[in-house]
Amino acid sequence: MLYFDYGAGMPVDEQVFEAMKPFFTTHFGNPSSLHEYGDAVREAVEAARAQVVSFVGAGEGDKVVFTSGATESNNLALKGVARRARRRGTHIVTTNIEHWAVHTPLKALEKEGFEVTRVPVEPNGIVDADAVADAMTEETVLVSVMFANNEIGTVQPIKEIAERAHERNIPVHTDATAAVGRILVDANDCGADLITLSSNDIYGPKGMGALYIRRGVRIEPVMHGGGQEWGIRSGTENVAGIVGMGAAAELAQRRLTRDIAHLSHLQTKLIDGAFEAIPDTHLNGDRQQRVPNNVNFLFDYIEGEAMLLSLSNYGIAASTGSACSSKTLSASHVLSAIGQSNEEAHGSVQFNMGRLTTDDDIDFLLEKLPPVVDRLRRMSPLTPKGFFDR
Ligand code: PMP
């Protein structure tokens, strides 16, 4: 199987898995217990927190809160900050390309009386920082813009947005799920006040994440209970998951330069190779301002799902749109946001690469793609007459 769906799921790194193992059996204590069983796991949880603190560049007084994943981190950031600030204002600014895990909690906040402005991105899939700033009002209590888009890979101008928001004392949240491990996500560098981090996106276990919270940001808990994680996220800690995420973060930080070089090389090879071999091919999203793991092509006249089926006959696993919405038939809201028609959006295919992707994998893909596209175009009613005589 040739796996090009790293955006949907990654294998847990062997070293990470090894680090986690004892916390299922030998070290089974509860970190809140005051005896030795508790001490050992409490220390492990704090060591893992230190690893994530270092990974995200958290400073003195900042917090890293462990959660059950990016979805929960986004819910905590959005609902937590908005509800706490309700008396000061009820307006939130975001974009029209956010993942459902931001879009849907914001919908829920709208039902609670908040007003949300969704700033449209430019045709290259990047939001203009000035447009985000223009959307801020006296009532704005939060700005949420994703670090990188999970479908078209575009990197958003978080630093500029944070600067503009901070001029008005508005905190900024960024969902960095599709950026971590692929580019530098550093709290000081980007200036965001809340950062959603995902464990599986750095070769850690699924169902595990964290939220970085800058010192001074006021947040109301979403999960109430025993008061763990400073009372911000109650519930007995997922110790093995936390240890895994810590180990994954340490590895990702250590390997970042190497991972970026590897992915960038593969990305260039795939984009250039496809452009050369297949006419009427377009790259969705910006070519430069994009995470190095992501390639999203629009092949004119054909259907993305048919492409996936044909590719899977060769053992190639890719995707259309977001893994989380692959069961719906509606066109991707991200591709609609960059101006694609329904037809075009349905013709797009995404290839997501990772640490284990090799040059040989790209060679194989580049060998199989042109004949697959050619065959589907010959069957497609959308292919213009005379296309094959050009
Ligand atoms: N945000 C983004 C940008 C994503 O791509 C995803 C899915 N990987 C999520 C949030 C949700 O992640 P999870 O399902 O792990 O909570």
Side-chain angles (χ1 to χ4, degrees), residues 7-9 68-74 97-102 146 148-151 175-179 196 198-201 206-208 322-324:
S68 66
T71 300
E72 188 190 328
S73 295
N74 286 343
I97 58 161
E98 300 298 313
H99 189 273
W100 296 112
V102 164
M146 69 199 319
N149 182 267
N150 52 298
E151 291 185 43
D175 175 358
T177 305
T196 289
S198 162
S199 155
N200 191 230
D201 287 81
K206 291 183 184 55
M208 187 65 224
S322 157
C324 318

Side-chain angles (χ1 to χ4, degrees), residues 122-202:
E122 302 295 314
N124 65 354
I126 298 174
V127 74
D128 178 9
D130 286 338
V132 176
D134 288 346
M136 299 173 198
T137 71
E138 292 300 309
E139 281 281 305
T140 310
V141 290
L142 181 64
V143 173
S144 179
V145 176
M146 69 199 319
F147 206 109
N149 182 267
N150 52 298
E151 291 185 43
I152 55 174
T154 45
V155 179
Q156 307 300 322
I158 301 302
K159 193 176 185 156
E160 271 179 85
I161 291 169
E163 278 166 11
R164 304 296 293 273
H166 291 165
E167 286 166 12
R168 311 179 68 140
N169 278 330
I170 303 168
V172 173
H173 165 248
T174 186
D175 175 358
T177 305
V180 282
R182 292 97 165 191
I183 46 173
L184 180 72
V185 176
D186 181 272
N188 270 328
D189 185 58
C190 77
D193 306 289
L194 301 117
I195 306 177
T196 289
L197 302 168
S198 162
S199 155
N200 191 230
D201 287 81
I202 47 173

Side-chain angles (χ1 to χ4, degrees), residues 76-93:
L76 177 57
L78 300 166
K79 294 175 182 167
V81 170
R83 288 174 182 164
R84 180 71 187 248
R86 177 188 281 282
R87 263 181 280 134
R88 275 191 293 114
T90 54
H91 180 238
I92 300 166
V93 178

